[in-house]
Amino acid sequence: MEWRSPILATLVMASASLNAYDAPVTVRPLRNVADLRKLTYEESRLAPPVALRITVISHFRDGFDGQDNSGGIFFEFPFGKLPRIGEEIEITGNVTGGFHGPYVIVDEMKKVGWRQPPKPLNFRPDFVQTGLGDNRWVEIEGLLVDVAFGESKREGTGLLVTGQSELVIRFRNAHEDFDVAGLERNVGSWVRLQGSGDPLFNDQRQRIGSDFVCAKHQFVSVIEKTTQSEPVRLDEIG
């Protein structure tokens, strides 16, 4: 029966090797947004898992933008109630490859509190249209020339212009009304907006630009208010 000892020793060594085995890096959850944004399309299509803690910065019909200290990204969550703007949440899910970059399909999320987004990146409006501000917390400035809402006070549009470009603003919040009258009073003023870029695609899935999503009227501040000039009588015009 001496043959049992070598076999037993082999089994013990094999068991020890299995216990010391480290899982491949590819199956470990990604834990910050910057690592997600570095993934190639092919890497994203492998659906690596994520475990993130982010702050919600923008709402869309099928999900939301979230930001951590390393950057922002889009989270697809079409079937449940969207988290509120400013909520800090823990998310587990998987990455997938989009037309213009990776995004996250949410499996589970848990609210852990409230948190202000990190300091925004300051962009010119025309930079937003290049995609640099897509799904990231950014700040822009320009002349607000139009604000339009329909029956709902939770979804509307605006138009911001500078001397070089114009940018469509989409006001959207799944839970709170905007101060529509206050936004309309800002038309004609030079304003600062905080929000995130929303990439646009044509029918051939080619990126054609970006809009800007602003989730709360508190994210709009007036830098220079337009003042009405005094009327001038025609007979005073020389």
Side-chain angles (χ1 to χ4, degrees), residues 127-138:
F127 281 10
V128 174
Q129 294 176 337
T130 67
L132 292 175
D134 287 353
N135 314 116
R136 297 181 179 182
W137 184 241
V138 299

Side-chain angles (χ1 to χ4, degrees), residues 112-153:
V112 294
W114 296 86
R115 186 176 182 182
Q116 292 294 325
K119 184 177 180 181
L121 299 171
N122 189 279
F123 280 3
R124 287 186 354 214
D126 54 324
F127 281 10
V128 174
Q129 294 176 337
T130 67
L132 292 175
D134 287 353
N135 314 116
R136 297 181 179 182
W137 184 241
V138 299
E139 182 178 84
I140 59 175
E141 295 180 8
L143 184 67
L144 186 64
V145 298
D146 186 48
V147 168
F149 280 74
E151 294 182 1
S152 173
K153 293 184 178 181

Side-chain angles (χ1 to χ4, degrees), residues 64-111:
F64 55 91
D65 281 345
Q67 178 99 10
D68 67 7
N69 289 327
S70 69
I73 203 164
F74 174 70
F75 294 85
E76 183 178 271
F77 191 68
F79 305 114
K81 186 177 181 180
L82 294 179
R84 290 180 175 271
I85 300 298
E87 282 189 351
E88 186 178 20
I89 56 178
E90 292 179 345
I91 289 178
T92 57
N94 294 87
V95 183
T96 190
F99 300 149
H100 185 56
Y103 63 94
V104 175
I105 299 176
V106 177
D107 290 332
E108 294 181 357
M109 63 181 176
K110 179 179 72 173
K111 178 183 174 181

Side-chain angles (χ1 to χ4, degrees), residues 147-162:
V147 168
F149 280 74
E151 294 182 1
S152 173
K153 293 184 178 181
R154 298 184 178 182
E155 189 168 342
T157 59
L159 186 64
L160 193 77
V161 301
T162 65

